Amino acid sequence: MKLYNTISGAVEEFVPINPGQVLMYTCGPTVYNYAHIGNLRTYVSEDILVRTFELNGYDVTRVMNVTDVGHLTDDGDDGEDKMLTGARRENKTVWEIAKHYEEAFFEDMKKLRLKDPSIVERATDHIANYIEFIKVLEKKGYTYRAGGNVYFDVSKVPDYTKLSKVPLDQLQTGARAEVVVDDNKKNPYDFVLWFTKSRFDQQEMRWPSPFGEGYPGWHLECSVIALETLGEQMDIHCGGVDHIMTHHTNEIAQTESYTGKPWVRYWWHAEFLLDAEGKMSKSRGEFLTLALLEAKGFSPMHYKYYLLGSHYRKQLPFTFSYLEGAKDAYEKLRDRVLALDEPETCNAHMDDFVAALNDDLNTASALTVVYDVLKDDTLTSGQKAGALMQMEEVLQLGLFEKRELQVEEEWVLEKIAERSAAKEKKDWETADAIREELREKGIAIMDGKDGTTWKPL
Ligand code: AMP
Ligand code: ZN
């Protein structure tokens, strides 16, 4: 199985630490608002990654954190407290906000037929461990205290930018113009491990600590939760490309300083979904959610089919007309799959399917193989169904999900009678229109020598 590794900049053969086992960490959602469909793109790609590992016989332990403590938009003391902004907006406590959006996130995952991670950990459940972690870093001389906060001193780490490979003097302290520079820092790239003072003093989530009452810096949770659940080394760490420059860079710096060992073998990053204005972002206010797509008549599977048509390492533009195209193609594909006979065991084209996914998760090629199965005249209908069912294990597009019957049987029989009458009169246009009307209601009709029969699609 070959995967692109951000830290080496090359597509590499995947070799795990323990044979047959994958230790995987995936940065989870910040739960101060709904996930936007851009966030969900990253989780869809991660699900394909997990299922491709499983297809190759690996046993995967996948950990995900839930960021339920006020994380600041950028690093350090920049930006705003997202949880507090969410709570103010909705007149709720930060804890209520976190619970609500965490549930909503896992609901979206389910709608997209994504597997639950093996382990999900909330950032706020590990405060005592963050404190212990910081104490060790302090003892080892990687930190300093200033203005009430504890900072990580990046000058102590010689290969600090080894993930992004952007030289320090070319890194920007903050991507946005309004960022306020934190005067407490010795070096602009230093980051906060523990806050007791920030520009946002109304932080509701605060805990006592030897450094003063306060709350943890954002990067800590992933390092500490990963150490607790996966041990000192792991195979693969995943997230969106926006995490390369700061979040993952800081995770590496603090974790390797803590353990004194190399930490992650493969760094995996998913590219962005772009809307008309460019990068989709939660803090921009208006954004696209799965619920919004559903309200406009698109199913989560239409969106997923659109995503799988392109490679996870390529930026992907999103427009409703592209989604319309995906919906159309998906519905036609599902019609063909639902019209197949009962599945029989069949491995035809499976090698090509596995090869496509093993080539750095080429989902677009994997989808082509799905169509190859349908076109293959050497297979019986049941064999096609059998082969496609195996592919569905990875793609999870709901291609075998029967449409629910929305109509009474009596109505169907009336329509069939109307159509037979139209055919008698050679009114093919009406006959076809009725067939289409039935199809839209989830009913397929078959003309045989004993008349017309029907079945749900
Ligand atoms: P967040 O909830 O903001 O922490 O983001 C959750 C995940 O979505 C992270 O792995 C981000 O890197 C990723 N992400 C954020 N914006 C986008 C986007 N526009 N397209 C794809 N992934 C994104
Ligand atoms: Zn993380």
Side-chain angles (χ1 to χ4, degrees):
M1 192 175 158
K2 287 195 159 66
L3 287 174
Y4 180 81
N5 188 355
T6 308
I7 203 158
S8 69
V11 176
E12 291 177 32
E13 187 63 36
F14 177 80
V15 184
I17 301 168
N18 307 314
Q21 213 188 346
V22 178
L23 303 176
M24 174 172 177
Y25 190 91
T26 47
C27 290
T30 30
V31 285
Y32 65 97
N33 209 330
Y34 294 107
H36 60 60
I37 59 170
N39 300 131
L40 295 172
R41 180 187 187 200
T42 293
Y43 297 109
V44 166
S45 301
E46 287 171 357
D47 189 70
I48 296 288
L49 175 62
V50 169
R51 292 179 193 269
T52 301
F53 278 134
E54 289 173 346
L55 187 67
N56 282 273
Y58 288 111
D59 182 18
V60 182
T61 304
R62 175 191 181 187
V63 180
M64 184 191 279
N65 63 303
V66 172
T67 303
D68 61 346
V69 57
H71 119 229
L72 306 170
T73 309
D74 289 296
D75 180 47
D77 201 8
D78 316 329
E80 59 183 344
D81 180 332
K82 292 175 169 184
M83 295 292 295
L84 193 59
T85 315
R88 289 226 180 97
R89 183 185 62 229
E90 293 172 37
N91 218 359
K92 289 186 179 147
T93 70
V94 282
W95 301 95
E96 285 166 340
I97 287 286
K99 184 168 182 292
H100 173 74
Y101 290 113
E102 181 186 322
E103 282 168 8
F105 172 76
F106 285 105
E107 201 48 49
D108 282 352
M109 293 259 294
K110 220 173 264 134
K111 283 185 181 171
L112 287 161
R113 302 173 71 94
L114 311 185
K115 217 175 183 154
D116 279 338
S118 339
I119 299 172
V120 176
E121 293 291 337
R122 294 193 188 106
T124 50
D125 287 337
H126 299 264
I127 304 293
N129 307 72
Y130 307 149
I131 293 170
E132 288 311 308
F133 185 87
I134 299 168
K135 280 202 224 158
V136 172
L137 290 180
E138 272 202 328
K139 222 177 263 159
K140 290 188 158 191
Y142 287 104
T143 67
Y144 59 91
R145 298 194 192 191
N149 300 331
V150 184
Y151 291 85
F152 187 92
D153 184 348
V154 305
S155 71
K156 298 278 160 66
V157 182
D159 50 359
Y160 173 67
T161 59
K162 68 179 174 186
L163 180 65
S164 70
K165 287 173 267 324
V166 178
L168 253 197
D169 56 3
Q170 283 171 34
L171 270 181
Q172 290 202 319
T173 7
R176 298 165 316 131
E178 73 268 27
V179 162
V180 178
V181 176
D182 179 352
D183 291 331
N184 296 320
K185 291 183 183 180
K186 288 193 202 163
N187 180 319
Y189 317 109
D190 293 346
F191 55 93
V192 181
L193 295 168
W194 190 267
F195 287 99
T196 69
K197 291 224 161 41
S198 85
R199 294 197 295 121
F200 310 98
D201 272 339
Q202 284 109 325
Q203 170 75 20
E204 272 182 62
M205 294 175 164
R206 301 181 77 90
W207 295 266
S209 89
F211 331 107
E213 191 193 79
Y215 57 99
W218 169 43
H219 314 297
L220 271 184
E221 63 189 82
C222 293
S223 291
V224 173
I225 290 170
L227 287 172
E228 278 177 53
T229 51
L230 298 172
E232 291 193 338
Q233 286 174 314
M234 73 168 88
D235 295 303
I236 186 162
H237 192 130
C238 310
V241 286
D242 54 328
H243 286 344
I244 298 171
M245 292 275 267
T246 309
H247 180 50
H248 288 165
T249 290
N250 291 345
E251 281 188 35
I252 297 173
Q254 65 193 8
T255 309
E256 296 190 347
S257 301
Y258 175 90
T259 61
K261 291 182 191 162
W263 183 34
V264 174
R265 317 238 316 208
Y266 301 86
W267 283 94
W268 181 100
H269 291 102
E271 253 298 349
F272 266 24
L273 182 79
L274 306 176
D275 63 13
E277 281 119 72
K279 180 195 154 177
M280 209 167 276
S281 99
K282 282 189 211 178
S283 37
R284 219 174 51 201
E286 276 267 297
F287 57 84
L288 294 170
T289 58
L290 209 55
L292 191 81
L293 300 193
E294 288 179 293
K296 286 181 182 277
F298 298 98
S299 81
M301 291 302 105
H302 298 149
Y303 178 55
K304 188 167 179 180
Y305 183 87
Y306 177 60
L307 295 181
L308 298 187
S310 88
H311 195 256
Y312 77 95
R313 279 199 297 119
K314 287 213 179 84
Q315 292 191 338
L316 181 65
F318 178 85
T319 68
F320 279 101
S321 83
Y322 291 152
L323 188 59
E324 196 68 59
K327 173 179 178 175
D328 203 43
Y330 173 85
E331 290 302 333
K332 286 194 179 115
L333 173 62
R334 188 158 72 139
D335 281 350
R336 289 170 75 184
V337 173
L338 288 174
L340 295 172
D341 293 341
E342 284 298 302
E344 292 162 33
T345 313
C346 175
N347 289 319
H349 300 274
M350 205 52 199
D351 287 352
D352 289 344
F353 183 77
V354 176
L357 291 170
N358 281 358
D359 178 18
D360 194 23
L361 310 181
N362 193 337
T363 49
S365 294
L367 278 180
T368 313
V369 180
V370 166
Y371 287 95
D372 289 343
V373 170
L374 286 167
K375 278 188 295 205
D376 187 343
D377 294 336
T378 68
L379 301 176
T380 66
S381 177
Q383 285 172 329
K384 290 179 185 180
L388 292 178
M389 233 169 187
Q390 288 196 59
M391 298 177 187
E392 254 296 284
E393 283 292 309
V394 180
L395 302 173
Q396 293 293 326
L397 280 166
L399 294 174
F400 287 88
E401 291 294 305
K402 293 212 169 35
R403 294 190 173 86
E404 272 178 34
L405 212 52
Q406 305 157 356
V407 289
E408 299 281 322
E409 182 169 1
E410 218 169 293
W411 180 84
V412 177
L413 295 175
E414 264 170 39
K415 284 286 159 190
I416 289 176
E418 262 178 51
R419 180 169 165 271
S420 302
K423 276 170 62 180
E424 294 267 297
K425 285 187 254 162
K426 301 203 187 311
D427 178 1
W428 309 118
E429 210 175 302
T430 304
D432 285 349
I434 293 170
R435 178 193 277 279
E436 181 55 23
E437 188 183 354
L438 285 162
R439 197 196 66 78
E440 275 172 12
K441 296 272 192 253
I443 287 141
I445 49 177
M446 289 81 62
D447 293 322
K449 57 179 186 315
D450 304 323
T452 303
T453 54
W454 67 278
K455 66 173 186 181
L457 275 170

